[in-house]
Amino acid sequence: MEEEAVTEEEAVALKRFKGVILARGYHYPQRGDDHTLLRFLRARALDIRKAAQIYGDYVKWRRDNHIDSLLQTFAFPELDAVLAAWPQNWHKTDRFGRPINIQLISRLRIQEVFHATTEERLLKRALWVWEELHEVKLPACSKAAGHQVGRATIIVDLKDIPLGTLTNAHGRRVLIKMAQIFSRYYPEYLGRLIIVNAPAAFKGERAGRFAQRGRAREPPLLSRWLLQVSPRLRELFNRTMERQS
């Protein structure tokens, strides 16, 4: 089964959207395929005017920052040192064929990360990862699955995370910038965000208020969150990982 089939309403909106961005001078063949345009439409609930605005911003951002050549021009020799302080990697696919990215925030040593690299280079590395996801990983997963795969699953492990990791101003600033860039310029790439071994701080009245606000603003995005306060790994793997024969 295709990850998310195009509905008749989306097909009509897509046709109109193409005409609007062409009229506004936003034509961008490098990222103007139907799958990419649908990301921006879905991110704005098929509101063509709003989708055209964020797509125009996206095109300008890519041109101004030479994003199209990033995979070929950016080198990150400090990668091993950064991964030692911030363990993360891609590992297999979930039951929808989506690539799985695992982030061991529980083992993040933020000071060592910034001894190995700079904030600017860390952000550029994040862009490189997202570009590779689009250009390499998603096409490979689509071919293996036999249908279009356009999103990734992210698993974040927060087991015994030190308080200093959450309160470090430098680290928080970088993570916020990464989230902002990803949300603005890579819409609809997140299939499921799974948080495992979450501390008790994720529960209670504060989490309830946050969830309520999220439901009011972006219900489709909130529905992609799966919070595991305890490590119920059997359930997690049944819901996320592909079954191995």
Side-chain angles (χ1 to χ4, degrees), residues 42-136:
R42 288 168 173 167
R44 291 298 179 266
L46 304 187
D47 186 313
I48 294 173
R49 182 184 62 81
K50 292 180 180 178
Q53 180 60 55
I54 62 171
Y55 183 74
D57 293 343
Y58 167 75
V59 169
K60 184 179 186 303
W61 171 75
R62 291 190 70 87
R63 287 173 172 160
D64 290 349
N65 294 279
H66 309 289
I67 302 299
D68 289 331
S69 60
L70 188 65
L71 287 179
Q72 292 74 40
T73 60
F74 179 66
F76 197 65
E78 63 267 44
L79 177 61
D80 288 345
V82 170
L83 290 181
W86 185 351
Q88 56 183 283
N89 216 328
W90 297 93
H91 183 69
K92 297 187 177 183
T93 59
D94 67 12
R95 59 193 175 96
F96 299 106
R98 301 166 179 159
I100 296 175
N101 183 270
I102 301 175
Q103 298 277 333
L104 299 183
I105 302 298
S106 56
R107 292 166 55 186
L108 171 61
R109 301 186 299 277
I110 196 67
Q111 298 291 350
E112 293 182 27
V113 170
F114 290 113
H115 285 155
T117 193
T118 65
E119 178 179 323
E120 181 182 1
R121 287 183 57 76
L122 196 61
L123 288 169
K124 188 164 284 190
R125 165 65 186 176
L127 288 177
W128 191 98
V129 169
W130 298 333
E131 285 294 300
E132 192 212 24
L133 172 66
H134 179 95
E135 295 286 349
V136 180

Side-chain angles (χ1 to χ4, degrees), residues 180-235:
Q180 289 173 338
I181 292 172
F182 187 74
S183 174
R184 184 176 302 169
Y185 301 123
Y186 296 89
E188 296 293 308
Y189 281 84
L190 176 63
R192 179 64 64 90
L193 173 63
I194 302 170
I195 302 174
V196 298
N197 299 313
F202 275 73
K203 297 188 293 183
E205 184 180 351
R206 181 180 299 177
R209 291 199 304 267
F210 174 80
Q212 194 65 40
R213 290 196 300 269
R215 277 192 289 271
R217 293 176 182 177
E218 294 188 75
L221 181 60
L222 190 68
S223 68
R224 296 174 196 164
W225 287 55
L226 175 62
L227 178 64
Q228 296 281 5
V229 177
S230 59
R232 294 174 290 176
L233 294 182
R234 181 178 298 278
E235 178 183 345

